[in-house]
Amino acid sequence: MSVLTLRLAGPLQSWGSAARFTRRTTENAPTKSGVIGLLAGALGIERGDDGALERLAAVRFGVRVDQPGTRVRDFQTAHHPVTGSSMPLSERFYLADAVFVAAVEGEETLIDSLFAALRAPVFPPYLGRRSCPPSHPVELAVSHDADLEDVLGGTPWQAAAWYRRTRRGETLVPLTVLREPRGGEDGDGDALRDQPLSFSSAHRRHGLRTVCASVVDVPVSGTTAAPGHDPMAALGEELSR
């Protein structure tokens, strides 16, 4: 098996699994459905293509909480596009200044294609909602003949520099890992309705999946800084021509 790792960081993120009506909540970590949606968009999979989604969603998923962030609440107003009447006031919840390492485990050819797609995505990636762009390129690395647990335990700490300074003087930092169990492993964990079955606007559907929690100790030293990235650089190049 091969493993693709992603660095999910931005000013705001929102990973809903049970959002309904006017209250749109967020989980404390990225959901599988949200990350699979990001990858499907990079590949150019259309919302109604349930067959392609099924093949993609078969990967095993895990996420490491490198910087938990802070939960914030916002209010949103809108008007009906036809009548112009006011829509109900809605609550939107976000995670501010959070950083996660997400990983998907699957066949080598699929993982390689996902990594290539993230470097030249058909649709731009976002962190749970379109209003939440990533602050850096999301792709980290591909590990072949690897195990999801080992990769999540061995990836350097990805927290922001200001957050790393809060653990100055420590050797190891304990980080929470939320992952799907291995095949044949006792799935003693929590059930979350987060297995994407269809992203179709007409019948969006999700199934249950098992989530196991553990803690890994990651060295504070050896942490790598996020690559420099100016999201407006490409626009500047176009304007200068």
Side-chain angles (χ1 to χ4, degrees):
M1 286 293 182
S2 298
V3 178
L4 168 66
T5 49
L6 315 174
R7 184 182 190 270
L8 304 178
L12 291 175
Q13 306 186 35
S14 188
W15 305 97
S17 65
R20 292 293 185 274
F21 306 111
T22 60
R23 182 178 174 85
R24 303 301 178 94
T25 60
T26 179
E27 296 293 323
N28 292 326
T31 57
K32 181 177 184 178
S33 58
V35 173
I36 292 298
L38 183 155
L39 296 173
L43 287 170
I45 296 176
E46 299 292 338
R47 281 190 173 275
D49 191 346
D50 294 348
L53 174 62
E54 181 180 7
R55 293 189 293 273
L56 178 56
V59 298
R60 192 159 69 100
F61 175 72
V63 62
R64 193 181 73 190
V65 183
D66 282 33
Q67 186 174 319
T70 303
R71 187 180 294 265
V72 297
R73 180 176 64 170
D74 190 22
F75 296 97
Q76 179 171 308
T77 60
H79 290 81
H80 194 280
V82 177
T83 65
S85 59
S86 297
M87 303 292 286
L89 181 69
S90 63
E91 291 180 283
R92 305 294 173 112
F93 291 83
Y94 300 88
L95 298 174
D97 292 328
V99 181
F100 304 98
V101 173
V104 292
E105 178 188 278
E107 296 294 336
E108 180 176 330
T109 53
L110 172 61
I111 296 302
D112 285 342
S113 68
L114 291 175
F115 185 71
L118 288 173
R119 298 176 72 90
V122 176
F123 300 108
Y126 53 86
L127 306 179
R129 291 196 187 129
R130 291 191 184 95
S131 59
C132 301
S135 55
H136 300 278
V138 298
E139 70 278 2
L140 268 180
V142 169
S143 302
H144 296 302
D145 297 321
D147 179 86
L148 183 142
E149 287 80 3
D150 292 339
V151 170
L152 285 176
T155 299
W157 193 23
Q158 298 294 313
W162 69 265
Y163 187 80
R164 296 199 302 268
R165 287 194 293 270
T166 65
R167 310 304 290 263
R168 188 166 37 210
E170 300 181 35
T171 303
L172 299 171
V173 57
L175 304 176
T176 299
V177 170
L178 305 170
R179 62 171 180 84
E180 295 177 330
R182 299 184 182 93
E185 180 182 0
D186 181 16
D188 184 16
D190 296 325
L192 186 65
R193 189 166 295 279
D194 181 41
Q195 178 66 27
L197 303 176
S198 177
F199 286 146
S200 170
S201 300
H203 54 84
R204 190 173 300 181
R205 294 179 293 117
H206 298 82
L208 293 173
R209 71 182 184 93
T210 301
V211 180
C212 302
S214 60
V215 175
V216 295
D217 292 322
V218 176
V220 173
S221 61
T223 298
T224 57
H229 175 60
D230 178 7
M232 303 302 290
L235 181 59
E237 292 174 2
E238 290 295 327
L239 292 176
S240 64
R241 292 176 181 174

